[in-house]
Amino acid sequence: MEQGEQFCLKYDANSLIYVSKAMDLFDMTEPSLTALGLSPSNSTPLPIKPPTKARTHPPPPNQAPHLPALAAGLRPLAHTPILILGVQSDILFPVDQQRELADALRMTGNSRVSYYELGGVWGHDTFLLDEQNVGGAIRGFLL
């Protein structure tokens, strides 16, 4: 039996709709966290800085305005080494969003953000199938 067929037999399609909706609504901007009664940080707010590393792709003009609010929400990660892997053919987690996440983290002053963008035709499954490139990115980050 093929993998897609097995997946359909194991999971209710409606549950995937709810998971997808939850992912689409997930919002780490400071105003959203505050509206939920959460605080991105109980410490003194860090100044939001412009990204510390040059981007390889300019931010889309209609999406860039929320980056400071996202950076404010991600402030607790300002001193945490972070690896972000983007896959060009991934429609579940598009590379534009992965680049924005890296930029927002850099705006917190985090200079230990590593962003790798992978090619490949497997979409989100690239993380499972492209062991050489995914493993190389992880190895490079950990060393």
Side-chain angles (χ1 to χ4, degrees):
M1 186 180 302
E2 113 180 27
Q3 192 173 18
E5 194 174 334
Q6 289 178 8
F7 186 82
C8 291
L9 295 173
K10 289 181 183 179
Y11 298 99
D12 180 353
N14 292 319
S15 66
L16 297 176
I17 292 170
Y18 284 105
V19 169
S20 177
K21 185 71 167 178
M23 289 170 51
D24 289 343
L25 295 175
F26 186 78
D27 188 346
M28 284 293 296
T29 61
E30 187 176 44
S32 292
L33 294 173
T34 302
L36 292 171
L38 303 171
S39 172
S41 175
N42 294 329
S43 61
T44 306
L46 296 170
I48 302 299
K49 303 174 184 177
T52 56
K53 292 184 180 178
R55 289 177 60 102
T56 54
H57 306 279
N62 60 342
Q63 293 182 5
H66 68 272
L67 285 180
L70 180 58
L74 296 172
R75 211 175 340 197
L77 301 173
H79 304 291
T80 304
I82 295 175
L83 170 64
I84 299 170
L85 291 175
V87 177
Q88 293 173 352
S89 57
D90 189 344
I91 60 173
L92 187 58
F93 299 107
V95 290
D96 289 345
Q97 291 177 359
Q98 303 305 312
R99 291 181 202 135
E100 285 183 355
L101 181 59
D103 283 345
L105 285 161
R106 289 181 183 128
M107 288 172 71
T108 69
N110 190 336
S111 60
R112 298 186 295 173
V113 176
S114 298
Y115 175 76
Y116 292 92
E117 190 166 306
L118 305 173
V121 295
W122 302 292
H124 187 69
D125 288 344
T126 297
F127 294 101
L128 301 170
L129 300 171
D130 190 356
E131 293 176 24
Q132 181 177 356
N133 289 316
V134 172
I138 294 170
R139 189 172 18 266
F141 175 74
L142 293 176
L143 296 178

